[in-house]
Amino acid sequence: MRDVLPVLGRWYAAGVPFGLATVVGVSRSAPRDPGAAMAVGPDEEVVGSVSGGCVEGAVFELAQEVAAGGEARLETFGYSDEDAFAVGLTCGGEITVLVRAVTPGRDPGFGAVADSVAAGEPVTVATVTDGPAPRGAALAVWPDRTLGTLGASGLDAAVTADARGELALGATGLRHYGPEGQRREDSVSVFLQSFAPPPRMLVFGAIDYAAAVARIGDFLGYRVTVCDARPVFATPRRFPQGVEVVAQWPHRYLRETATDERTVMCVLTHDPKFDVPLLTEALRRPAAYIGAMGSRRTHAERAQQLAEAGLTESELSRLRSPVGLDLGARTPEEVAVSVAAEIVALRWGGSGAPLTATEGAVHPRGSS
């Protein structure tokens, strides 16, 4: 959804009705996660995807129908579907898609949501998918305000409280309530889609490897900052456009920088005078991933120095070093792929093994 919002925002601002399809449920080896979106706008223009191609034709027809004035629809597509709209998912999974029309009259908060996402402001969109409430009704929830309604004040209040909790975690998923927001009932299904600011990637050491890691971090959707104490290396022209470059001692910069459970840190300085104070700071603060470049000998020496600096065994266990997965990487770009692969595997619980050597679902449902 984040990727297609700029186009949808333009359609919305022009007052053009469009059909919006959003994946609200998945099972087994589904091709896309909840929140994936596809929209059909003027002149049959299509943006986004809900399945990577498997069911787009059927969803296109549904989106056209609701955009022309039809009611919101909830459709499930799977390998064995016999429904008239079903187009089998060859991966064997199953996806549930909510298709609704979006206009200023039906969804007064959509434009504000698009603006907030573009500005990096956190917002959650709650949409009724099923039950005794208006299907497709939407409520936009910010930390300090709301816009729209799901049809009942009690339901709005309960969903607003939950949406703000999900927003703090950057989480997306289905919640269930009673018609007036009763938490012990489950007759109304509401899809909460959080648009939290992009997670941070902090790259320390402005070397060639850092440029490659920054480039792939930007590609993966991180807000990337490269930091190096040496101004001659920490220059924006050496890094991709959009990457922040800071000339400052790494541990001092990190001490002044907020991190959270989604932050990833790549320490590529490869110099004890930078590494030890930086990792001492890094390993004692929230982060999803902390990796450091170096040989096994360098790692052993660095670990000893960190232990002497007072880090505990538990804190040291968070360090991924030598950084990256074993891909046989040599060039900076190959090493960046290795680092990115380790970050993705750690995020989703992947093994890093070839899929030909594993069994079970190719896309297991993991936590973000």
Side-chain angles (χ1 to χ4, degrees):
M1 176 70 86
R2 188 186 296 273
D3 294 337
V4 301
L5 268 177
V7 175
L8 305 190
R10 291 196 295 272
W11 291 348
Y12 184 88
V16 177
F18 58 89
L20 176 61
T22 306
V23 176
V24 298
V26 298
S27 65
R28 301 191 301 276
S29 185
R32 301 295 302 273
D33 287 324
M38 168 182 158
V40 179
D43 300 321
E44 298 186 348
E45 182 179 356
V46 178
V47 294
S49 171
V50 293
S51 72
C54 300
V55 303
E56 262 67 2
V59 173
F60 174 83
E61 295 179 10
L62 288 172
Q64 281 190 309
E65 178 183 320
V66 300
E71 296 296 319
R73 299 281 296 273
L74 187 70
E75 296 288 343
T76 297
F77 302 93
Y79 184 76
S80 60
D81 278 337
E82 298 177 356
D83 186 274
F85 285 107
V87 177
L89 293 176
T90 56
C91 60
E94 185 176 273
I95 62 172
T96 300
V97 180
L98 174 70
V99 187
R100 65 187 182 97
V102 178
T103 65
R106 293 192 182 205
D107 190 346
F110 190 90
V113 169
D115 290 343
S116 288
V117 173
E121 298 171 351
V123 60
T124 293
V125 177
T127 311
V128 175
T129 65
D130 205 6
R135 178 176 288 160
L139 173 69
V141 181
W142 290 266
D144 59 350
R145 68 190 189 279
T146 64
L147 190 55
T149 179
L150 303 182
S153 59
L155 182 59
D156 287 347
V159 170
T160 295
D162 289 345
R164 286 178 173 148
E166 298 290 83
L167 187 56
L169 300 173
T172 288
L174 276 174
R175 289 292 191 102
H176 303 281
Y177 307 87
E180 289 294 333
Q182 302 94 324
R183 297 184 181 279
R184 294 187 179 183
E185 298 183 26
D186 61 2
S187 58
V188 178
S189 298
V190 179
F191 183 65
L192 302 181
Q193 185 169 13
S194 296
F195 297 94
R200 297 290 304 275
M201 172 181 279
L202 305 178
V203 182
F204 298 99
I207 60 177
D208 289 346
Y209 291 94
V213 170
R215 190 156 43 247
I216 203 166
D218 180 67
F219 175 76
L220 291 175
Y222 288 93
R223 181 161 68 92
V224 182
T225 299
V226 176
C227 176
D228 196 299
R230 302 162 297 180
V232 67
F233 294 111
T235 58
R237 68 175 179 272
R238 300 185 63 237
F239 296 93
Q241 184 177 7
V243 171
E244 180 186 29
V245 181
V246 175
Q248 189 174 344
W249 275 76
H251 72 286
R252 293 173 186 164
Y253 171 77
L254 182 57
R255 193 176 296 153
E256 300 166 357
T257 301
T259 64
D260 60 27
E261 287 74 12
R262 301 184 303 151
T263 303
V264 303
M265 292 184 253
C266 301
V267 179
L268 312 179
T269 44
H270 207 270
D271 185 330
K273 71 175 178 289
F274 296 127
D275 291 359
V276 174
L278 172 59
L279 289 170
T280 299
E281 176 70 26
L283 293 168
R284 288 173 170 165
R285 58 167 51 229
Y289 174 92
I290 303 170
M293 177 176 281
S295 65
R296 299 190 190 280
R297 177 178 177 181
T298 297
H299 169 68
E301 293 174 351
R302 187 165 48 207
Q304 179 62 35
Q305 291 172 315
L306 290 169
E308 292 171 356
L311 268 75
T312 66
E313 184 174 336
S314 176
E315 290 168 338
L316 287 170
S317 69
R318 301 178 62 204
L319 179 60
R320 315 286 291 195
S321 179
V323 70
L325 296 186
D326 180 13
L327 305 182
R330 293 291 187 273
T331 68
E333 290 73 21
E334 290 173 345
V335 170
V337 171
S338 167
V339 173
E342 184 174 43
I343 290 171
V344 172
L346 189 62
R347 177 183 180 185
W348 296 107
S351 67
L355 288 172
T356 53
T358 64
E359 298 180 351
V362 173
H363 303 288
R365 295 298 120 195
S367 59
S368 59

